[in-house]
Amino acid sequence: NGVLHDSEYLYVVIITIMKMINAHAKALHCPIEYILNSLFASTSALIGNARRIQATDTWQVPPHLWFVNVGSPSAGKSQATDLYTKILKRVENEHFEEYQQSHNLYLEQLDIKEIKEDKWKKACKKAIANDQNPQVKPKIAKKSNHLYAKDYLQLTQPQRS
């Protein structure tokens, strides 16, 4: 029927990636390990801080992978690293304007949040000075784009009845 099952799809993806890694290693005359390490490190950079691993309520870290290619001079370490960092730089440059607009909006939202909190603090001081109950602090939404491992585990665990 032409539909790949999960295991078949995974196999195709792995074979495709391995062919790509082998082709890059041959073209750059370097060990496949250098290419693979650079690919993993670049993938980790793309994930960046958008996702977090949180084992406890107080412990969380971004899932960064660190790699170092060790070898003799002229073994192809720099070429393997440059292969993916050039792609990352190109993508970064293509999206810089979008990032800048998003960052400026974020800074504006921070200013608005600060103004709202200052207004609330002044109203509280005035209420206390007049022997009145202060206002409840307004809820100012803090949006997070982090996906925590514990949240994923809760979502994927089967519901018990």
Side-chain angles (χ1 to χ4, degrees), residues 62-82:
H64 294 306
L65 300 174
W66 298 89
F67 289 88
V68 61
N69 289 326
V70 178
S72 302
S74 299
K77 300 179 298 289
S78 295
Q79 295 93 318
T81 303
D82 290 347

Side-chain angles (χ1 to χ4, degrees), residues 138-150:
K139 291 195 178 201
I140 303 168
K142 180 183 176 191
K143 195 173 181 181
S144 174
N145 63 346
H146 297 297
L147 175 65
Y148 297 103
K150 69 174 190 167

Side-chain angles (χ1 to χ4, degrees), residues 8 47 49 57 59 68 90 120 130-131 155 161:
E8 294 170 322
I47 294 169
N49 286 321
D57 289 338
W59 181 80
V68 61
R90 188 179 74 228
W120 170 76
N130 293 329
D131 289 329
L155 291 172
S161 44

Side-chain angles (χ1 to χ4, degrees), residues 13-82:
V13 169
I14 290 171
I15 294 299
T16 303
I17 291 171
M18 287 310 300
K19 285 180 181 178
M20 178 193 72
I21 289 169
N22 280 321
H24 289 159
K26 280 184 182 179
L28 297 174
H29 306 288
C30 68
I32 62 170
E33 292 86 354
Y34 292 173
I35 302 293
L36 190 58
N37 288 348
S38 298
L39 177 62
F40 283 151
S42 298
T43 303
S44 177
L46 287 170
I47 294 169
N49 286 321
R51 302 292 177 256
R52 298 281 178 147
I53 297 170
Q54 183 170 0
T56 69
D57 289 338
T58 58
W59 181 80
Q60 60 175 293
V61 293
H64 294 306
L65 300 174
W66 298 89
F67 289 88
V68 61
N69 289 326
V70 178
S72 302
S74 299
K77 300 179 298 289
S78 295
Q79 295 93 318
T81 303
D82 290 347

Side-chain angles (χ1 to χ4, degrees), residues 29 92 153:
H29 306 288
E92 189 176 74
L153 291 174

